[in-house]
């Protein structure tokens, strides 16, 4: 094979590096804003972020970049590139085409509209005023529709939106997996609700010292193999993880004084995201491939660590005594009571407070509604009624107000249609990965109950984390588990876990 | 007057805004690096900083900017600009000419050389190995000489370097003021050394609780009028202040457990820098004029607050009891003993540990040596001997090693020739401003002894801070005090203070 040393390669790689550098700089600016930047500097900071984002956008849509891409895409040239270079070319091309198709003026209008809609949403949620919010939501939907037209609809219009967050994911596939999931989770949730063996959770609600909570969170992060020389733990109102580069992956948490598990499971969740970003192969350093491959795969890791590991009995067999010591006299319950208390399942109105099982129904409802908007012409005016009907059908409860219903999430006001499915994809991926992991590491649960989580982190690093964006989500799930995404793994996992807890 | 609405104005102002935005982004990246960024992310972070700095340099030297400047400099156009716009044009022009005269390749070589020299300097200082460092220093000097040639020498070659840090400052003026200062401070220091009334400082050295030190530092910052909604206090190895924008001016300090005053005076010092940056007029927001006008004026504010206020007896009349309460049983001395202990004067070898008086002699020595290098052809090989002779002549002591002599400061390895004078200029400006302030606020010392520092901050804001870079250092000192810079104010201040303390 002849290696075609195109002149476009060096400036192309230089541009990729620069885009990554902008990304890291913006990442630090956002992290700083959310972890204690002084209030009075925020307006100017927004302008700085706007300025840098604008430069980054300009660079990512420059005609030169388009020319280099075209040159590198010539079959003879392309085949002479390394695997990483090829993936950089295809990924950058996708992003490039997506970006250049939106006229800058339209994009800027969209940013303004979303910013106004987000502000209005906050007010409307507080005042339970859907009618006040509706015209803003209509505008955001209208711009999104224009974007779909400009990008070009895929198999369905909503497919175009899904692809932004989960490359390659389609309505066809999601209908299948979410359909299967819904059919089995709705009766399971009903059986759980009818069980006489409901866990007690009252002991979780006491005044738990914040410093002790922090100490315990640090203990668990260390156990997971989070590298504190390549990260740090801070506080913020909304917990998050941010991968600046593989040597600097930060997490934040929020300590609630009246809830011992909120910060703990939040920290494990963000720690899962962080392990992913800390363990990407060095060959991808400084490129746009050095990050998680999709929202869904990222969420699979946060949820694997939070739910599959963190809410398991073996995990607490190792850690419960230490938690009791951390809060002397406050956790006077048995391991079994503690385990059951942390795994209560209850239909509820609010997604972000939902348990591991019913959470998926919240997502399926949002998925179905988004599909109705973009594929079936559902109108903003109809959404509250659609929302409430679905909650009644799938969860057996109906929101008494729109604030507790259709107004609860920020996503739509920001134009993030197509994002919600990632959360449940994460749960499904996690269960399917866990199934393979249990077979390939036969002493998996012994390791967990011994607090020896590092072999698990190593397995995940070797099979998933190290590839960053080099593999697509569907390649990853196929390569790691030998099968395409299948919701039955999640269903089986949930059935097994909750049959035991609720003695079904 | 006709206002000439040049088409160049809008893109010029847009560029200025963008340069300021880059400056803020880089400021956050540096702050982050120095306040706890994880070790393993630092290499990549350096590349991000390099990338952004490169973009900023490109923007500040773009041919378009040159054209807009030329257009705006047309007399008819220029006279139609506002005062702020005119100053932006002249300042940007100066920076532009300075930058475009250096070929990018030479500049990059210089960056590499300085980086190598700084690493070598660290080693050489630790190993007391001046000979090992000398070839690196020679290279740095050589590049600086080339820069002077490219920039074009001013009245003398060293003037070109001075002007970078203190616009308008000349060898002619510095020879006069430093000459006057040296002639009077050398005998004053000698008289103090001969005094029988030496202060006791032993009580300062105990184990002082860090949290209590921090609480007291916060108390003093609040007293000074530092706005905590427009800033924050963190820790770092080398204390610094950084003005990101007027609403976000951060300071750091370092707490030494065995020294109660190090963090305290360090915090007041950085707090003085911060008050300057927090109180620049809103009209300059988002422009490159929204920062201190020079290193010397900036240093005058940190030193005014640290020395004139913070080391004065009235200040401690108000604050000493609170300090004693903060450290129960540890400060069992009288106010007078405490005041004297904090104002000890002693010839010493190390600049950064020097007292308020002899500090100036350390600076004058460096100034004279830098002048010898660039105006009289002194060679790197000769510097240790020159250094040691001057220390003997001005301070009466001779460094036993080069590590404690010519190798002690990092500045020269980084190519920062011309920077040192700023420190003493700061002291002189501070004393001259203080003289006017005392006359214009006749109850000045009563305010200090009542802990009522806000009127002092207001006066400084109104007369100095608010102008940012809109006034040059010489305009400021002339406008505020009615006179050009005169070292006699500092001499008088020091004579008065130390005559009393040492009963001369």
């Amino acid at each position: 094979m002849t290696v075609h040393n195109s002149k476009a390669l060096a400036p192309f790689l230089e541009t990729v590096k620069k885009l990554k550098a902008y990304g890291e700089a913006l990442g630090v600016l956002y992290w700083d804003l959310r972890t204690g930047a002084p209030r009075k500097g925020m307006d100017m900071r927004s302008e700085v972020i706007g300025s840098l984002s604008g430069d980054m956008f300009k660079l990512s849509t420059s005609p030169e970049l388009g020319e280099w891409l075209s040159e590198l895409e010539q079959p003879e040239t392309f085949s002479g590139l390394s695997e990483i270079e090829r993936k950089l070319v295809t990924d950058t091309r996708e992003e490039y085409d997506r970006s250049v198709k939106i006229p800058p003026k339209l994009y800027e209008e969209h940013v303004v509209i979303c910013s106004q809609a987000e502000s209005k949403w906050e007010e409307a949620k507080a005042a339970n005023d859907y009618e006040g919010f509706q015209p803003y939501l209509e505008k955001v939907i209208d711009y999104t529709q224009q974007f779909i037209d400009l990008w070009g609809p895929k198999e369905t219009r909503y497919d175009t939106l899904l692809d932004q967050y989960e490359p390659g994911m389609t309505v066809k596939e999601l209908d299948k997996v979410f359909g299967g999931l819904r059919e089995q989770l709705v009766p399971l949730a009903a059986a759980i609700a009818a069980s006489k063996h409901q866990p007690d959770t009252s002991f979780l609600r006491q005044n738990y010292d914040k410093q002790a909570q922090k100490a315990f969170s640090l203990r668990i992060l260390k156990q997971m193999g989070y590298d504190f020389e390549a990260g740090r733990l801070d506080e913020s109102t909304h917990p998050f993880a941010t991968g600046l580069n593989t040597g600097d992956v930060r997490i934040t948490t929020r300590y609630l004084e009246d809830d011992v598990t909120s910060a703990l499971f939040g920290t494990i969740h963000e720690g899962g995201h962080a392990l992913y970003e800390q363990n990407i192969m060095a060959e991808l350093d400084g490129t746009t491939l050095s990050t998680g491959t999709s929202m869904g795969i990222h969420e699979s890791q946060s949820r694997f660590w939070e739910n599959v590991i963190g809410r398991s009995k073996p995990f607490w067999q190792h850690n419960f005594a230490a938690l009791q010591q951390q809060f002397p006299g406050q956790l006077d319950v048995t391991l079994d009571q503690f385990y059951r208390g942390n795994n209560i399942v209850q239909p509820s109105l609010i997604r972000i407070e939902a348990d591991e099982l019913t959470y998926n129904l919240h997502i399926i409802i949002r998925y179905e509604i988004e599909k109705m908007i973009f594929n079936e012409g559902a109108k903003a005016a109809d959404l509250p009624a659609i929302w409430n009907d679905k909650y009644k059908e799938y969860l057996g409860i109906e929101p008494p107000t729109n604030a507790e219903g259709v107004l609860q999430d920020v996503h739509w006001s920001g134009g993030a249609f197509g994002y919600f499915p990632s959360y449940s994809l994460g749960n499904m991926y996690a269960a399917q990965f866990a199934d393979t992991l249990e077979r390939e590491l036969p002493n998996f649960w012994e390791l967990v109950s011994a607090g020896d989580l590092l072999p698990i982190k190593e397995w995940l690093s070797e099979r998933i984390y190290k590839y960053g964006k080099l593999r697509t989500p569907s390649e990853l799930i196929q390569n790691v588990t030998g099968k395409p995404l299948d919701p039955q793994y999640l269903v089986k996992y949930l059935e097994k876990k909750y049959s035991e807890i609720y003695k079904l």
Side-chain angles (χ1 to χ4, degrees), chain A residues 40-271:
Chain A
K40 291 184 181 171
M42 292 205 176
D43 283 351
M44 194 56 72
R45 177 63 60 83
S46 301
E47 293 199 25
V48 171
I49 287 175
S51 182
L52 251 67
S53 304
D55 288 351
M56 189 176 173
F57 183 78
K58 232 182 249 170
L59 184 63
S60 71
T61 56
S62 75
E64 293 81 9
L65 179 57
E67 284 161 26
W68 298 325
L69 282 169
S70 299
E71 204 174 315
L72 293 168
E73 283 161 348
Q74 296 301 313
E76 294 211 334
T77 307
F78 191 76
S79 64
L81 299 176
S82 73
E83 184 193 5
I84 291 172
E85 287 160 357
R86 287 199 302 271
K87 180 69 175 168
L88 279 170
V89 168
T90 52
D91 254 44
T92 309
R93 161 61 74 189
E94 233 168 87
E95 196 59 43
Y96 183 83
D97 284 349
R98 187 181 280 283
S99 299
V100 293
K101 282 177 181 166
I102 308 293
K105 203 173 157 291
L106 192 74
Y107 182 76
E108 280 165 33
E109 283 168 22
H110 176 245
V111 170
V112 174
I113 294 288
C114 287
S115 159
Q116 290 169 345
E118 280 194 39
S119 300
K120 187 67 197 179
W121 165 78
E122 260 192 73
E123 281 175 47
K125 184 180 172 185
N128 187 34
D129 173 23
Y130 184 78
E131 287 66 32
F133 176 57
Q134 191 185 308
Y136 291 83
L137 181 57
E138 279 164 358
K139 272 195 202 168
V140 176
I141 293 174
D142 179 57
Y143 273 86
T144 308
Q145 296 280 21
Q146 291 185 58
F147 284 12
I148 297 175
D149 289 332
L150 289 162
W151 285 330
K154 301 200 176 230
E155 204 169 318
T156 78
R157 294 179 66 80
Y158 184 54
D159 281 278
T160 307
L161 301 178
L162 284 176
D163 192 63
Q164 290 178 92
Y165 303 104
E166 199 66 11
M169 188 50 68
T170 61
V171 165
K172 197 172 159 187
E173 181 167 4
L174 272 187
D175 275 352
K176 206 174 63 189
V177 296
F178 278 169
L181 203 57
R182 195 191 63 207
E183 272 171 34
Q184 294 170 87
L185 294 191
V186 169
L188 182 57
I192 288 171
S195 164
K196 283 174 187 164
H197 305 277
Q198 298 295 326
D200 171 30
T201 58
S202 58
F203 63 90
L204 294 171
R205 304 273 160 176
Q206 300 175 35
N207 192 16
Y208 287 100
D209 178 66
K210 192 176 138 178
Q211 285 309 314
Q213 287 194 46
K214 185 171 178 184
F216 195 77
S217 291
L218 291 171
R219 171 197 158 98
I220 301 300
L221 284 174
K222 211 178 147 196
Q223 214 172 97
M224 291 166 66
Y226 176 78
D227 182 351
F228 282 94
E229 291 201 325
R232 49 185 282 173
L233 174 65
D234 294 86
E235 288 179 49
S236 66
T237 315
H238 302 285
F240 66 99
T242 183
L244 301 165
N245 63 61
T246 54
D248 190 351
V249 183
R250 305 179 182 191
I251 56 186
T252 70
T253 196
R254 181 181 57 153
Y255 302 98
L256 300 181
E257 300 259 358
D258 66 345
D259 183 347
V260 73
T261 51
S262 167
L264 175 60
F265 288 118
T267 306
I268 300 177
H269 181 100
E270 303 306 335

Side-chain angles (χ1 to χ4, degrees), chain A residues 6-27:
Chain A
S6 165
K7 273 189 189 157
L9 185 58
F12 167 71
L13 293 176
E14 196 52 44
T15 303
V16 164
K17 198 174 151 188
K18 207 168 247 312
L19 287 171
K20 179 72 179 170
Y22 274 119
E24 176 164 339
L26 284 164

